[in-house]
Amino acid sequence: MSKAVKVLIYLFFIVGFVLALFPFYWVFALATHNTTEIITGFPLLPGAHLLENLVSIFTKGTFLQGLLNSCFISVTSTVLAVFFSTACGFAFAKYRFKGRDTLFKIVLATMMIPMQIGLVAFVKMMTTFHLYNTYVPLVVQLGTAFGVFWMCQYIRSYVPDEMLEASRMEGLGEVGILLRIVIPVITPAIVSFGIIYFVNNWNAYLMPLILLQDSSKFTLPMVIAALQSRKEIDLGARYTALAMATLPLLILYLSLSGTVRESIAAGAIKG
Amino acid sequence: MAGVKKKRQYPSFVPYLFILPFFIGFAFYNGAPIIYSFYISLTEWTGFDKPVFVGLENYRMLVRDELFYMALRNTAQIIVLFIPLMILLGVLISYFLYAGYVKQENLFQNVFFLPYITIPVAVGAIFQAILNWQYGFLNKLLLGLNLLQEPVNWLNEPKYTSAIIAILITWQSVGYCVIMFMAGFRGISREVFEASRVDGANGRQTFFRIALPLLKPIFVFLIITTMIWGFQIFDETVILYSPRGGVSAGGPGYSALTLVQYLYLSAFTDQHSGYGAAIGYALSIIIIVSTLAVRRLLEGKKEAEA
């Protein structure tokens, strides 16, 4: 391999590195300036207005509220979805019952349905049941087809039948087996699926957008979207809010990057 | 003892109890809405009025609707632009990392993956911060370097729209492709590469003759999954092209209007539930048919080669 080619490849990676990170850097740099500096200057280097912008977004507007709303919705829905996916996957993996194979095929088939197909009717139904503009449809999540499939595969490979039988001998009930035997053994699968679900949920925009009306109930993506479409605006505060909104997942990712990356690659799904 | 073994050790309702929540959730969140949506798509249902059954009228309107074709064409254009770009970059980056041309494999994978886990709405806003005509980075840079005399309003020119969105998606998803291809390369045994070296193949030959054919399943998988995302794109484009208009924008001359956004506008902004539901069905059929067609095309080629 000639030296020139090696240099070219290195150059390619350096350019890629800069292109991947620079947009984040630019937003964080804007977050440290005020509106005048942003419009008239070329704010490449950090400015002196970060604190002022932070005070502004945390005291005025709905940023903090949106952050808390998103935390609440994503955490509770992830816990519920993971638990019920695990229970269902466990049943498909370890029990014999009538209709099992057919039902499992149905679960697999539903993974291919685009979510947009029932969107209009879903909002109508939520309105009829007085669940429109509430968190109920966002929070009460009873598992996903992908989660059931994922858990079922994992339980099949990592939970031996003997373990379940031994626990029954000791008088543990079936729910007890699920909670105290199965869940501890499959923690890695739970973490992976939990991360995938949490990230998708945290990032989701369309579903909360069509279900929520009061700005006090908005999730973080909705707050960012609302800030973007506002007419007269404090640009410094807008980009501080944007920078702060990207921060939680960046931190989560950098603190357990291997796990997040492998999970999402293995899950191979998005939104 | 054999008799004891045969006996079920748990009450027979237990497995049903465990699967019940999932199926209730599915019925409520997916099953019923899918069926109900089809009914709605057969009605004229505006605002708070009662639905009126109109048969296939919404679908008849849809096939004559220029905005629908516009949205379909925009979406298709974006897909055709971003998939080759993203896959080419993804396979090159992962091959150079895997073959050890560049060290710090982990660092690069992490950096390229960051945009993928960023809130899609934020990705749209970040691109807005780059492309805004007044204070965006691109204009400041080009004006500063004297490459431009006047600021260009990148987001107000229909001719740039598809390319901008394709670059946005590529920026966002290339790290995902890298990870999938890395997994693929790791699945090919080192011996295969070494054997081809011993046979005198150079780097380029190894890449084209050995690695690429073995990675075919990953190419097919990535093309199909990213095509499906492409058809469903909404968050990023809506934010990028909403300087002040909210969701009702659709970009200059509707050049950024995507299928999902058209569904949103029809069903939720204009309150034409029947028409919105028909778009939902049309979109889903388009997605399913394209998936089957692309799969057949890509896998059919394999048979022809063999």
Side-chain angles (χ1 to χ4, degrees), chain B residues 213-233:
Chain B
L214 286 169
L215 287 180
K216 179 147 184 188
I218 297 189
F219 278 96
V220 174
F221 175 81
L222 283 175
I223 290 170
I224 288 173
T225 49
T226 55
M227 182 184 75
I228 294 172
W229 303 344
F231 275 120
Q232 298 178 328
I233 189 165

Side-chain angles (χ1 to χ4, degrees), chain B:
Chain B
M1 277 316 255
V4 178
K5 218 177 176 185
K6 254 186 192 166
K7 210 182 133 205
R8 216 192 262 112
Q9 297 155 299
Y10 47 83
S12 60
F13 69 84
V14 167
Y16 294 107
L17 182 74
F18 284 158
I19 66 169
L20 194 63
F22 169 78
F23 281 96
I24 290 177
F26 178 78
F28 194 66
Y29 290 112
N30 303 89
I34 289 171
I35 297 164
Y36 188 28
S37 242
F38 185 66
Y39 167 73
I40 293 177
S41 79
L42 303 178
T43 67
E44 163 85 47
W45 192 357
T46 314
F48 297 98
D49 292 347
K50 287 233 166 353
V52 179
F53 189 82
V54 292
L56 292 172
E57 187 52 36
N58 286 319
Y59 293 96
R60 242 175 258 135
M61 265 161 68
L62 200 60
V63 294
R64 279 187 257 118
D65 182 350
E66 270 176 45
L67 261 186
F68 176 72
Y69 284 113
M70 188 88 168
L72 182 59
R73 200 172 56 227
N74 294 339
T75 313
Q77 245 172 31
I78 294 163
I79 290 172
V80 169
L81 285 173
F82 92 82
I83 290 184
L85 183 63
M86 179 192 66
I87 289 201
L88 178 71
L89 288 173
V91 76
L92 282 179
I93 291 169
S94 52
Y95 181 69
F96 291 145
L97 286 176
Y98 175 77
Y101 292 114
V102 176
K103 306 280 179 293
Q104 291 97 29
E105 181 187 313
N106 245 322
L107 171 76
F108 280 112
Q109 280 199 69
N110 278 342
V111 165
F112 293 136
F113 199 61
L114 279 181
Y116 184 79
I117 51 146
T118 303
I119 303 176
V121 165
V123 171
I126 289 170
F127 268 67
Q128 158 88 249
I130 303 280
L131 295 170
N132 184 288
W133 72 273
Q134 210 179 357
Y135 57 84
F137 173 76
L138 190 61
N139 274 348
K140 297 229 158 162
L141 180 75
L142 295 176
L143 289 167
L145 293 173
N146 267 329
L147 291 170
L148 280 183
Q149 305 312 119
E150 295 268 293
V152 175
N153 198 344
W154 303 103
L155 297 173
N156 208 22
E157 296 278 352
K159 61 185 173 199
Y160 297 136
T161 308
S162 297
I164 287 173
I165 298 170
I167 290 169
L168 179 149
I169 304 179
T170 303
W171 181 77
Q172 187 183 31
S173 319
V174 86
Y176 170 75
C177 285
V178 170
I179 282 158
M180 297 309 286
F181 280 123
M182 287 299 279
F185 280 122
R186 285 198 202 100
I188 305 172
S189 86
R190 287 267 175 195
E191 284 157 32
V192 174
F193 284 105
E194 273 153 30
S196 79
R197 286 256 163 87
V198 172
D199 289 344
N202 61 27
R204 199 184 312 151
Q205 285 165 331
T206 313
F207 178 70
F208 283 108
R209 305 249 177 92
I210 313 287
L212 283 193
L214 286 169
L215 287 180
K216 179 147 184 188
I218 297 189
F219 278 96
V220 174
F221 175 81
L222 283 175
I223 290 170
I224 288 173
T225 49
T226 55
M227 182 184 75
I228 294 172
W229 303 344
F231 275 120
Q232 298 178 328
I233 189 165
F234 175 78
D235 308 7
E236 298 88 341
T237 57
V238 164
I239 305 310
L240 181 56
Y241 285 93
S242 75
R244 30 196 70 143
V247 188
S248 55
Y254 290 110
S255 60
L257 182 72
T258 64
L259 287 167
V260 178
Q261 190 181 9
Y262 193 44
L263 187 164
Y264 179 89
L265 291 173
S266 305
F268 303 112
T269 308
D270 300 344
Q271 297 280 326
H272 286 172
S273 302
Y275 203 56
I279 297 173
Y281 259 83
L283 169 64
S284 302
I285 290 164
I286 290 169
I287 290 176
I288 291 165
V289 169
S290 335
T291 305
L292 294 177
V294 168
R295 183 177 286 166
R296 187 147 177 190
L297 189 78
L298 294 174
E299 279 165 7
K301 257 188 204 157
K302 189 166 74 184
E303 280 158 23
E305 274 166 22

Side-chain angles (χ1 to χ4, degrees), chain A residues 4 18-19 30-31 55 60 75 86 90 93 124 144 157 180 196-199 229-230 235 256:
Chain A
V18 172
L19 286 178
L30 291 182
V55 170
K60 285 182 270 177
V75 170
T86 309
F90 175 49
K124 291 276 181 202
T144 68
S157 331
R180 281 197 252 153
I196 295 170
Y197 192 90
F198 182 87
V199 170
S229 58
R230 196 98 61 75
L235 287 175
L256 18 97

Side-chain angles (χ1 to χ4, degrees), chain A residues 59-101:
Chain A
T59 53
K60 285 182 270 177
T62 50
F63 179 78
L64 187 61
Q65 183 74 50
L67 186 68
L68 295 174
N69 294 344
S70 270
C71 285
F72 172 71
I73 293 172
S74 297
V75 170
T76 46
S77 66
T78 302
V79 170
L80 290 173
V82 169
F83 177 75
F84 288 115
S85 302
T86 309
C88 187
F90 175 49
F92 280 122
K94 291 293 175 187
Y95 292 91
R96 287 207 198 130
F97 53 95
K98 232 176 158 182
R100 182 182 74 171
D101 296 343

